[in-house]
Amino acid sequence: MIDGHLCSNVIASQGDHARLGGVVPELASRAHLQYIVPVIDEALASAGVTKHQINAIAVTIGPGLLGSLIVGVSFAKGLALGLNVPLIGVHHIQAHVLGQFLQKPAPEFPFLCLLVSGGHTQIILVKSPLDMKIIGQTLDDAAGEAFDKAGKLMGLGYPAGPEIDKIAQTGTARYALPHPQLAGFDFSFSGFKTAVRNFLRDGIRENIEFLDQHKADICASIQHHIVAILLETLQKAVRATSITRISVAGGVSANSALRQELTHMGKKHGWDIYLPPPGISTDNAGMVAMAAWFKLQSEAFDDLSVKPMARIPNIN
Ligand code: KG4
Ligand code: ZN
């Protein structure tokens, strides 16, 4: 990133997880070790800069899988020390929220961010780049997990979200699933997996070909249901805060039904909706650089004692 503009955004995709049906922590950290040097070399080459032109190193410190975080943080510390430049530790969720600023127009502050990923489902009140507050979150599974678990029940690959999205394009959301009603701005998806399992079991009991014959409608119904839960709660948060600038971040923000229905809702209620381009919805380096760019302006640096953390309760 130069002057807040992204120059390269290299991602090493980890195909093994798809084959194994989920993220295997040990394989993920080994892959980080294997790819970290070539990925950095490629990022520098495609940005057309040398490592001596770098004036700060940013790295995700968590929350996430500890083994992978240890690889990234250790490497970043070595690089910052070797190049004698500041180290900036970035919160993964803060990076998703601020990744929105990689495109124009970006929302003015304050805004609400619906953060929907494989590990998190939150409504975040973003007061300024470095001042955010979680006002609602999932009590159990995340929205991405709901997609992935439903996909697993249907025998789809991992992650199932993009596949469900694709299959749903030709279907109609004609099956109803039970809808949890929660107070406040929290979410719950734990009953959802059981509901999908029971729904599929009942359908298959009556017709052995149920899943194959109605896959598009089933995917559309599952997708519509997850999106409805997200948007209902978001609507409550908008009403309560009177903040009508809304961004969406995290892997599930690539979902076409979520994007369409939120855009429609925005038009209906006069909200300003900020959707990330699909390339910056799922985890990427650009969003980490963007968050670090804001931290660089306020010289919010970390020293070499900063530790990777699997969980970080505070978002700032
Ligand atoms: O933010 P992300 O890349 O990684 C985490 O930090 O978790 O999110 C990954 C999640 C997965 O659960 C994946 O199934 C979901 O995002 N996802 C989608 C779509 N693309 C990715 N879910 C629904 N529709 C999509 N198009
Ligand atoms: Zn993420």
Side-chain angles (χ1 to χ4, degrees):
M1 174 159 289
I2 301 177
D3 290 338
H5 298 288
L6 192 63
C7 315
S8 71
N9 194 7
V10 179
I11 297 169
S13 66
Q14 299 192 11
D16 280 349
H17 302 306
R19 193 168 46 78
L20 297 168
V23 173
V24 182
E26 182 56 30
L27 289 183
S29 42
R30 281 190 214 176
H32 273 68
L33 264 180
Q34 191 184 344
Y35 291 124
I36 198 157
V37 173
V39 161
I40 289 173
D41 282 345
E42 196 185 327
L44 287 171
S46 68
V49 295
T50 69
K51 57 182 186 295
H52 299 291
Q53 289 173 281
I54 294 174
N55 53 7
I57 300 288
V59 65
T60 303
I61 53 164
L65 291 175
L66 197 55
S68 303
L69 293 169
I70 289 172
V71 174
V73 172
S74 309
F75 195 87
K77 282 182 185 174
L79 211 50
L81 190 65
L83 297 173
N84 195 24
V85 295
L87 178 71
I88 304 175
V90 173
H91 189 294
H92 182 68
I93 300 304
Q94 199 173 38
H96 269 301
V97 175
L98 296 174
Q100 190 62 49
F101 289 80
L102 288 168
Q103 67 168 1
K104 301 274 177 293
E108 277 175 32
F109 298 99
F111 64 92
L112 293 178
C113 176
L114 174 67
L115 185 280
V116 273
S117 73
H120 294 83
T121 299
Q122 299 172 331
I123 298 179
I124 302 168
L125 169 57
V126 190
K127 297 181 201 160
S128 73
L130 306 182
D131 186 4
M132 316 182 175
K133 192 174 159 214
I134 299 163
I135 60 168
Q137 59 189 323
T138 181
L139 304 176
D140 36 63
D141 288 353
E145 254 176 311
F147 272 106
D148 296 337
K149 287 184 176 175
K152 203 167 187 176
L153 291 170
M154 289 188 285
L156 303 179
Y158 177 88
E163 214 175 333
I164 293 180
D165 191 353
K166 202 165 143 212
I167 300 171
Q169 307 279 338
T170 55
T172 309
R174 63 192 175 95
Y175 301 113
L177 288 155
H179 210 105
Q181 298 290 341
L182 266 76
F185 315 130
D186 287 336
F187 305 90
S188 171
F189 288 103
S190 65
F192 174 74
K193 189 186 154 196
T194 317
V196 173
R197 184 191 285 120
N198 293 346
F199 163 72
L200 291 174
R201 186 200 55 206
D202 294 348
I204 290 168
R205 197 179 280 155
E206 278 187 21
N207 167 13
I208 191 86
E209 308 277 354
F210 176 66
L211 182 55
D212 286 339
Q213 285 172 0
H214 303 285
K215 202 175 247 174
D217 288 350
I218 295 171
C219 286
S221 304
I222 285 172
Q223 176 170 275
H224 172 76
H225 189 74
I226 295 174
V227 169
I229 292 175
L230 294 174
L231 296 188
E232 251 172 45
T233 312
L234 180 64
Q235 186 161 8
K236 281 201 268 176
V238 174
R239 280 205 197 110
T241 59
S242 303
I243 296 174
T244 55
R245 283 181 293 271
I246 295 147
S247 77
V248 196
V252 181
S253 67
N255 184 264
S256 49
L258 176 61
R259 298 171 77 93
Q260 275 162 23
E261 291 185 32
L262 186 56
T263 304
H264 175 74
M265 220 165 159
K267 281 198 183 119
K268 190 168 147 199
H269 298 292
W271 304 345
D272 295 322
I273 308 295
Y274 299 86
L275 299 169
I280 59 165
S281 285
T282 43
D283 290 349
N284 67 89
M287 67 187 198
V288 182
M290 194 69 241
W293 172 254
F294 284 110
K295 291 188 123 183
L296 185 67
Q297 312 309 305
S298 4
E299 300 198 358
F301 302 138
D302 287 284
D303 62 38
L304 295 177
S305 66
V306 67
K307 286 192 177 62
M309 285 171 276
R311 290 172 189 279
I312 312 179
N314 185 350
I315 197 170
N316 294 307

